[in-house]
Amino acid sequence: MECLVTVFGLLLSLLLFGVLNVECYANAPSPLVKSMSELGAKQSGSNGACSGQSCLRTVAVKCGKSSMEVQVKADLFGTGVPVEASELTVLAAGTDEHFCRVTVAEDAQYKIEVPFNKCGTGFQMNDDWLIYSNLLLYTPTPSPYRILRMSPATIPIQCWFSRKFRVSSQAVVPTWAPFSSTLSQESKLDLGMKLMTSDWSSELLYGVYQLGEVIHVEASVEMGTHMPLRVYVDSCVATQSPDVNTSPRYAFIENNGCMMDGLITSSTDSYFLPRLQNDRLRFQLEAFMFHDSPSNASVLFVTCILKAVLITQSSPEQRACSFIDGRWRSADDTDQVCQSCSHSASANSLDQPVQYNQPSQSDQQTVWKQQATLGPFVVQP
């Protein structure tokens, strides 16, 4: 399915922010076209749509079964001056010339094939959608006299696939499930996390932050038929690619639920929020850039180990602790479990492979764990 992308105020946005947002839907209800103003309106609840000369349709994304095809008009900014094919790549364009960079240039249009399992493509899932995300990067080439007339641009691109499909109304045979498969299904939980708007009212559809702004994240567990469960964030690491073992990397939550950013960097904006629901846990992180990031923007992925336990269970390793005003505090009002956060961290659970969330038994406790990744999202200076 091909999704045309409307870029609202493209040139003005580039000059002011250096970041443009592109969102594409596959198997989605209409409308299929989302502009920057429409996306902003969706977040704010207003009805803003661009029209006429304020809209430039210069980028399109075709979502396939295993890849997305990014189509970019050579006249990207509608100024009559074409950009060069070599100036366009996606997030992790390596040496593989078949992916991640322009391979087709025809009819004043460039095409880039982006497999869902290559080029640093990120993956997210919520109740209704499977979302594959990446970034189209425009990096202008200096003239022979080393001057530039355009700013670099970072353009988020996404493919959304519906998790809900129509099926035949015919009866399914058999209509019963073996007891063993029922037990197996009930042993699995839906552990996940998502970016949220600043007022926590809804999921954030795209993540572009200024340096020092606050990134809002909500971890959750869908309990289904389980007994009541409580969710925790065991550890989190920020990287510039989906691979948690790459460098640079910053472990800002570790040691079984200790938010270390406040202690390490003295940030007053990085902490767990007081818990309001057992199956939800919110935290925020002050946006940052790695020191070797490009000057125009930093691309980040956040990978966390999420944990769910029965609410009747308690353990010093089940905690959500933040360093606030010179002391450790708990999101669950149990500050005593946080006292060991300043001690040397235990082995980072992100360094160990995590299987799908089948329960494990430890000290007579049942624990479900699942690794989840957010990104890519962008931080600008």
Side-chain angles (χ1 to χ4, degrees):
M1 175 179 296
E2 182 173 353
C3 307
L4 285 179
V5 179
T6 302
V7 179
F8 175 66
L10 183 61
L11 182 57
L12 179 61
S13 297
L14 173 62
L15 294 177
L16 292 179
F17 304 107
V19 172
L20 311 170
N21 195 80
V22 172
E23 186 166 9
C24 229
Y25 291 80
N27 300 331
S30 60
L32 295 177
V33 176
K34 288 286 183 181
S35 69
M36 288 189 71
S37 58
E38 289 175 308
L39 289 172
K42 185 175 178 98
Q43 297 294 350
S44 63
S46 63
N47 182 20
C50 65
S51 60
Q53 296 301 314
S54 63
C55 292
L56 290 174
R57 290 182 171 88
T58 59
V59 180
V61 177
K62 183 184 293 185
C63 300
K65 292 182 179 180
S66 60
S67 66
M68 66 177 87
E69 181 183 86
V70 184
Q71 303 172 356
V72 185
K73 289 186 178 180
D75 187 8
L76 178 61
F77 306 109
T79 61
V81 179
V83 302
E84 298 294 331
S86 60
E87 297 174 322
L88 296 170
T89 60
V90 295
L91 175 63
T95 57
D96 189 341
E97 61 183 20
H98 297 292
F99 302 118
C100 312
R101 58 183 74 247
V102 173
T103 54
V104 178
E106 59 185 12
D107 298 327
Q109 179 173 278
Y110 304 127
K111 294 182 181 180
I112 306 174
E113 184 179 356
V114 185
F116 292 147
N117 63 344
K118 294 180 182 291
C119 309
T121 302
F123 172 74
Q124 295 173 253
M125 182 172 65
N126 59 29
D127 291 344
D128 300 314
W129 302 100
L130 303 174
I131 308 165
Y132 292 92
S133 305
N134 211 309
L135 297 168
L136 176 65
L137 307 178
Y138 167 66
T139 307
T141 303
S143 74
Y145 296 96
R146 308 300 298 169
I147 64 173
L148 289 172
R149 289 283 167 77
M150 297 298 293
S151 298
T154 305
I155 307 170
I157 51 177
Q158 295 182 324
C159 281
W160 292 48
F161 295 91
S162 175
R163 295 182 64 189
K164 299 178 180 178
F165 300 93
R166 285 196 184 127
V167 296
S168 169
S169 59
Q170 307 256 340
V172 178
V173 180
T175 57
W176 54 270
F179 180 68
S180 58
S181 70
T182 303
L183 284 180
S184 176
Q185 182 63 32
E186 290 185 352
S187 294
K188 297 179 180 179
L189 299 177
D190 188 5
L191 280 155
M193 59 182 183
K194 55 190 176 183
L195 292 175
M196 300 292 290
T197 55
S198 58
D199 61 359
W200 300 99
S201 62
S202 60
E203 183 175 2
L204 189 65
L205 299 181
Y206 53 95
V208 179
Y209 303 91
Q210 297 293 318
L211 192 64
E213 281 189 334
V214 176
I215 301 170
H216 300 83
V217 180
E218 181 180 86
S220 63
V221 56
E222 299 300 329
M223 294 179 291
T225 58
H226 280 270
M227 296 177 62
L229 299 170
R230 185 177 291 121
V231 65
Y232 294 92
V233 181
D234 249 12
S235 56
C236 286
V237 63
T239 55
Q240 291 181 308
S241 81
D243 184 355
V244 298
N245 297 312
T246 57
S247 181
R249 66 201 297 266
Y250 176 42
F252 60 91
I253 298 178
E254 54 185 354
N255 204 12
N256 301 115
C258 299
M259 173 71 76
M260 306 300 294
D261 193 51
L263 178 65
I264 296 172
T265 69
S266 301
S267 171
T268 58
D269 291 323
S270 298
Y271 54 83
F272 288 103
L273 277 71
R275 190 192 297 272
L276 300 178
Q277 300 174 240
N278 285 318
D279 60 347
R280 299 282 186 273
L281 181 61
R282 294 171 172 175
F283 68 86
Q284 56 185 51
L285 174 69
E286 184 177 351
F288 68 92
M289 299 174 63
F290 288 107
H291 74 278
D292 58 351
S293 301
S295 59
N296 61 306
S298 177
V299 176
L300 293 180
F301 292 81
V302 169
T303 302
C304 300
I305 298 297
L306 309 180
K307 177 172 66 178
V309 300
L310 297 174
I311 64 171
T312 55
Q313 297 176 179
S314 62
S315 166
E317 294 185 350
Q318 297 166 11
R319 57 190 180 184
C321 301
S322 310
F323 194 74
I324 302 174
D325 296 332
R327 59 183 289 250
W328 287 101
R329 304 192 181 204
S330 168
D332 297 305
D333 200 26
T334 54
D335 294 353
Q336 65 275 12
V337 301
C338 301
Q339 299 311 307
S340 63
C341 278
S342 294
H343 301 166
S344 57
S346 60
N348 192 339
S349 54
L350 283 166
D351 294 330
Q352 305 166 9
V354 177
Q355 303 299 324
Y356 189 77
N357 47 31
Q358 295 286 354
S360 62
Q361 298 289 336
S362 176
D363 299 329
Q364 290 77 50
Q365 298 198 11
T366 303
V367 179
W368 290 262
K369 287 188 177 183
Q370 178 68 41
Q371 180 171 303
T373 300
L374 291 177
F377 51 90
V378 179
V379 178
Q380 302 172 260

